[in-house]
Amino acid sequence: MLAVLGPGAVGGLIAALLHRAGEDVVVVARPGSARRILTDGLRVRSEMFGELTAMVPVTTAVPPGSAVVLAVKSYGLPDVLPGLRAAAPTEVLALLNGLGHAETLREVPNAVSGSVQVEASRDDGTIVHRGQYLIVNVPAGGAARIAEALRRAGADVRVRGSEQDILWRKYSFLAPTALLTSWTDLPLGQALEHDPDLTRGVVAEVAAVATADGWPATAQDLDAFLRRLPATMMSSLQHDIRAGGPTELEAIGGHLLALGERHGVPTPTLARVVGELRSRVSA
């Protein structure tokens, strides 16, 4: 059995696609969310997969021995860890943002950290998937059963490299994308042009921290990559700040500042952006 732990925008999209593909899948959710999904199913509106409503089975606990797609937000990880460990999963593929969770998951048997590239959000209970991509990166030698199931469901699954390679490959562009779109509250294309000096500072400091942490990157390459992304892209951090609920600011921005301090890399621009976002979130 496959279990998707965390049926938010990303986890819900994955669970709905697995169910549509005929996989033996269950959603693991909190009681309130479980009741809603049991009644209404997972409603998806996707530019890539079309519209569907998946009546996925729901539970509030990870089934013992299942293969788990872990798709909670980083701030929700401490709440689900005890139940995840107790279930003794045969595989765990974590698709969380940031880097810090990988060390925490070392204590969970058969767990590996991958990444997902997708633009998905919730709109009045419906999962909205924008764009023509759903890319799941899986470390070599890990979560093979989950990887095959995701392929059958229509995801572009890429098995390559180590956890650190996969996590930094996403984090290097996720961090500036999330921070700049959230700081400006604009789509990525406009956010990159809003304050060119600040954009250059953020990109250069992210590249410097990545290099110091063992994942070589240049500001030029990272800037070029960001400008190839859809100009209309908005980040999940941006959506969460708008909604006024918990955010992944610390997992994305706070962790960068901590890494910079650990490696002796100056990060004044990142400190300004993260500091202003912290004030906005706590206001």
Side-chain angles (χ1 to χ4, degrees):
M1 173 180 287
L2 297 166
V4 178
L5 177 51
V10 173
L13 174 63
I14 288 173
L17 293 175
L18 288 168
H19 183 266
R20 187 180 71 167
E23 301 291 339
D24 181 15
V25 61
V26 63
V27 164
V28 185
R30 293 178 177 178
S33 296
R35 286 192 294 270
R36 176 183 55 78
I37 295 170
L38 188 63
T39 301
D40 300 333
L42 292 169
R43 299 194 305 273
V44 174
R45 186 167 70 247
S46 168
E47 294 176 7
M48 183 176 180
F49 299 105
E51 295 194 18
L52 65 142
T53 298
M55 303 306 295
V56 186
V58 189
T59 181
T60 57
V62 179
S66 56
V68 180
V69 178
L70 179 60
V72 298
K73 296 281 191 175
S74 59
Y75 51 77
L77 183 57
D79 292 337
V80 302
L81 271 178
L84 184 60
R85 285 195 300 264
T90 55
E91 291 184 354
V92 178
L93 176 62
L95 299 177
L96 282 67
N97 289 327
L99 298 176
H101 62 276
E103 186 61 35
T104 302
L105 287 169
R106 301 268 187 261
E107 64 188 75
V108 178
N110 305 313
V112 296
S113 293
S115 71
V116 58
Q117 292 164 237
V118 64
E119 186 178 359
S121 60
R122 281 192 173 275
D123 181 5
D124 194 26
T126 297
I127 297 163
V128 181
H129 172 213
R130 301 173 181 86
Q132 296 292 322
Y133 61 96
L134 171 58
I135 302 170
V136 180
N137 297 290
V138 181
R145 178 184 171 195
I146 295 173
E148 286 305 314
L150 290 172
R151 278 198 186 96
R152 290 191 293 268
D156 178 1
V157 179
R158 303 176 183 181
V159 179
R160 58 183 181 183
S162 66
E163 282 187 334
Q164 178 162 354
D165 288 339
I166 286 174
L167 293 178
W168 257 116
R169 187 176 288 114
K170 179 177 180 178
Y171 192 39
S172 65
F173 73 83
L174 169 71
T177 297
L179 294 173
L180 289 169
T181 56
S182 299
W183 186 74
T184 60
D185 198 20
L186 293 169
L188 179 60
Q190 296 177 52
L192 289 170
E193 302 299 337
H194 180 77
D195 185 333
D197 288 338
L198 183 135
T199 294
R200 280 192 291 271
V202 166
V203 171
E205 290 170 21
V206 170
V209 172
T211 300
D213 200 50
W215 200 79
T218 69
Q220 293 79 6
D221 289 345
L222 180 52
D223 182 77
F225 184 88
L226 292 172
R227 294 179 189 279
R228 290 196 298 270
L229 294 173
T232 56
M233 178 181 287
M234 301 176 75
S235 67
S236 60
L237 177 62
Q238 182 179 9
H239 288 299
D240 289 345
I241 290 175
R242 282 183 175 183
T247 77
E248 293 185 303
L249 178 58
E250 294 310 315
I252 295 171
H255 192 68
L256 265 178
L257 296 180
L259 285 174
E261 183 175 359
R262 181 188 306 171
H263 296 301
V265 176
T267 54
T269 314
L270 287 169
R272 173 190 169 190
V273 171
V274 173
E276 292 181 14
L277 286 172
R278 282 170 171 165
S279 297
R280 198 181 305 173
V281 167
S282 62

